[in-house]
Amino acid sequence: YDKYSPALYGMICRMTNNKHVAEECLTATFLKSWNEIAAFPGLGTSLFIWLLKLARQSALEAIAQEEGKISGTQIYVNGHDRHYSAFELVYFKGLSAMQAAELSGITIIEFRANIRIELQNMKCKKEKA
């Protein structure tokens, strides 16, 4: 918990935009991991990646519940008035690339290129740090 909770909590906060919901999701993530440790794939998968998947799933469920179980596209449309990057739409808001491309008004090819550029920029920033 001490090692992974800060990173998981940060990701959940970005997804939900609600600290109280994020705390509940973090608790649910660790409870689920405790109860389903037998489902941990083990070889080839790190514990952090598995916890990250559980946390993302918990956050998406909380968002759907909070928004009245609406689709990912509606979550974005009814969301906050701010510009979301291609990466945020797919990885934090849970939209498919096709849904996010439609919302952005660009082709799927352009959208995937934008994600690739954003990932490269993140990698460059990390290497400079």
Side-chain angles (χ1 to χ4, degrees):
Y1 181 86
D2 291 339
K3 184 174 181 177
Y4 298 124
S5 63
L8 296 174
Y9 179 73
M11 188 255 326
I12 296 168
C13 273
R14 286 193 65 182
M15 288 180 70
T16 62
N17 293 319
N18 184 326
K19 290 183 180 187
H20 178 69
V21 171
E23 289 169 2
E24 290 177 6
C25 289
L26 184 66
T27 302
T29 298
F30 280 99
L31 286 173
K32 188 171 185 174
S33 70
W34 179 263
N35 292 329
E36 297 182 13
I37 194 67
F40 176 63
L43 296 174
T45 303
S46 73
L47 178 61
F48 178 69
I49 297 300
W50 184 63
L51 289 171
L52 194 64
K53 289 178 183 178
L54 293 177
R56 184 176 184 273
Q57 180 183 23
S58 179
L60 289 173
E61 289 169 1
I63 291 168
Q65 189 174 43
E66 191 173 285
E67 295 289 332
K69 300 187 188 221
I70 57 178
S71 71
T73 303
Q74 291 170 317
I75 290 170
Y76 172 74
V77 171
N78 294 335
H80 299 280
D81 290 334
R82 71 176 277 252
H83 172 74
Y84 289 94
S85 71
F87 182 82
E88 288 176 314
L89 288 173
V90 173
Y91 290 95
F92 294 122
K93 295 298 179 187
L95 299 179
S96 70
M98 186 62 76
Q99 288 174 318
E102 288 174 11
L103 283 171
S104 302
I106 58 176
T107 67
I108 188 70
I109 295 169
E110 292 172 313
F111 186 80
R112 288 184 176 151
N114 288 344
I115 290 178
R116 204 171 309 116
I117 291 167
E118 288 177 35
L119 289 172
Q120 288 171 346
N121 290 339
M122 283 187 231
K123 183 179 178 182
C124 289
K125 287 178 186 177
K126 184 178 179 183
E127 289 173 356
K128 290 179 183 178

